[in-house]
Amino acid sequence: MTTALKSNTPATNRLKIGFVLARSFTLSAFALFVDTLRLASDELDKSGRIRADWQVLGNTRHLIASSCGVQVAPTSDLVDPSQFNYIVVVGGLLNSKNPIDDETIGFIKKAAARKVPLIGLCTGTFILADAGLMGGHNVCVSWLHYQAFRERYPDLKVRSDRLFNLDRTRGSCAGGSSAADMAAQIVRLHISKEAERNALEVLQIDKARSHLHVQTRRPLEIEINDPRLNAALIIMEQHTENTISIPDLASSVGLSRRQLERLFMEKAKMSPALVYRKFRLERAKYLLTQTDASLIEIALEVGFESAGHFSRIFAKTYGQTPSRLRAERSI
């Protein structure tokens, strides 16, 4: 369940946010979030810090390089985190070793201990999870990083069909343009709807999307303009292993099984079970051509009971057996 973050309340009436930038952070996510604050803080485009203030926090003044090479300088030391309503950790490339140093990790843990809400922006949620700060909270990540998050943190609840999530004293965001949507909601909560509208109009954003909006993704290139079915497609794609039942899938997008089946037949001209099988077979095709896993291992991984059943369905769908496909790709 998504709820508004319980914000810290510094002495000032201004919304105050501290940013922690990881090595190789995502510039677009940071820029959209901070610029939404900038434009909400003053009228039009004057950039005055009247209703909001922000700092880039660091234990040095060394430039921090983003994933695109643009560098940003910290503007503040790692001061008392209680000065801020939120601490936003901006992540980036997952292959970056030690994205933030130990002192900064200690600062984030201190913020958590003092009940300052923490937000993971883009892969910043990985940093919070690494620090042991996401336990008991729902997590939202990009569909691109879903599998990596599940593998690293199997005990955490994660989904990749929503733009962002606000869960008590933790927030998480898929990144990209959804950073502006999340920032807009925080502006609306702490400043006003007028400030939110001013920021979005200058950014040429027609309307902020809520946490219920579905990430932009078209699995299997199926075009469906229904957010519930788009969410179901993303969930299917992310659960080719450890498959979920159709009733559970329907429940996860707020529908009954009958409603989900009716919508799939109406919009996709296929049952959800058939679409789900297509996802599983596409995953199997990838495993056949990119790994040395045996047929029975692949069959079980994508939810078939036996290699024989898997081979028959695969051949019926693709016109050749799994063994034949693997042999052709190895030539």
Side-chain angles (χ1 to χ4, degrees), residues 73 75 85 92 113 157-158 216 246 330:
T75 59
N85 296 95
K157 295 179 180 180
V158 60
T216 302
I246 299 301
S330 63

Side-chain angles (χ1 to χ4, degrees), residues 14-314:
R14 289 189 299 174
L15 170 63
K16 296 192 68 176
I17 293 184
F19 290 95
V20 171
L21 305 183
R23 297 183 180 92
S24 299
F25 71 95
T26 304
L27 183 62
S28 59
F30 169 62
L32 282 165
F33 199 109
V34 74
D35 233 21
T36 302
L37 297 178
R38 177 182 70 88
L39 294 166
S41 181
D42 201 357
E43 294 181 358
L44 300 177
D45 192 18
K46 298 178 183 178
S47 298
R49 302 192 184 197
I50 297 174
R51 290 173 287 190
D53 195 15
W54 52 93
Q55 300 290 340
V56 175
L57 305 171
N59 56 357
T60 72
R61 287 295 191 272
H62 294 160
L63 296 174
I64 306 168
S66 67
S67 58
C68 70
V70 174
Q71 298 180 319
V72 174
T75 59
S76 169
D77 296 330
L78 299 176
V79 295
D80 180 1
S82 301
Q83 297 180 20
F84 301 98
N85 296 95
Y86 302 90
I87 301 295
V88 178
V89 181
V90 187
L93 297 179
L94 285 181
N95 60 4
S96 178
K97 293 183 178 180
N98 302 318
I100 60 174
D101 58 45
D102 291 342
E103 185 177 350
T104 307
I105 291 172
F107 167 80
I108 295 172
K109 289 182 176 180
K110 181 189 294 185
R114 297 186 180 181
K115 309 300 182 184
V116 180
L118 304 174
I119 293 175
L121 199 58
C122 192
T123 60
T125 309
F126 283 74
I127 295 172
L128 295 179
D130 273 337
L133 299 174
M134 293 304 295
H137 294 274
N138 295 314
V139 180
C140 167
V141 299
S142 165
W143 59 266
L144 185 63
H145 302 123
Y146 176 84
Q147 290 295 348
F149 195 93
R150 280 189 64 194
E151 290 171 5
R152 291 193 191 186
Y153 319 107
D155 296 330
L156 295 181
K157 295 179 180 180
V158 60
R159 62 189 303 171
S160 62
D161 60 323
R162 297 292 189 256
L163 294 178
F164 62 89
N165 188 61
L166 300 174
D167 182 21
R168 290 167 289 144
T169 57
R170 297 291 183 273
S172 48
C173 178
S177 63
S178 63
D181 299 303
M182 186 183 219
Q185 177 156 325
I186 290 172
V187 164
R188 183 168 66 252
L189 289 171
H190 289 273
I191 302 178
S192 67
K193 291 182 179 179
E194 291 73 20
E196 177 199 25
R197 184 170 61 249
N198 178 69
L200 295 179
E201 286 179 350
V202 178
L203 287 171
Q204 297 297 311
I205 297 175
D206 180 55
K207 183 180 180 182
R209 297 167 294 180
S210 77
H211 67 277
L212 295 175
H213 275 70
V214 179
Q215 291 185 29
T216 302
R217 175 71 171 150
R218 294 292 181 269
L220 295 181
E221 298 184 355
I222 297 176
E223 292 289 340
I224 299 178
N225 295 319
D226 186 301
R228 296 164 298 180
L229 296 195
N230 285 334
L233 289 174
I234 293 173
I235 293 170
M236 285 178 178
E237 183 184 37
Q238 305 294 4
H239 287 83
T240 54
E241 306 169 40
N242 302 316
T243 55
I244 63 175
S245 68
I246 299 301
D248 286 344
L249 175 65
S251 177
S252 70
V253 296
L255 297 171
S256 69
R257 176 173 185 163
R258 182 171 295 181
Q259 288 173 322
L260 184 72
E261 290 175 339
R262 187 165 58 244
L263 278 173
F264 262 94
M265 292 304 299
E266 177 187 343
K267 303 290 186 179
K269 312 304 180 187
M270 291 181 284
S271 69
L274 180 56
V275 174
Y276 204 174
R277 191 171 73 183
K278 285 180 177 289
F279 277 112
R280 291 157 56 206
L281 289 172
E282 284 294 308
R283 174 64 178 168
K285 185 191 287 187
Y286 171 83
L287 294 171
L288 283 165
T289 58
Q290 302 297 322
T291 75
D292 295 325
S294 68
L295 290 189
I296 184 60
E297 288 174 329
I298 293 173
L300 293 175
E301 183 165 327
V302 299
F304 289 90
E305 295 179 356
S306 69
H309 183 216
F310 163 62
S311 295
R312 287 192 297 272
I313 298 298
F314 190 95

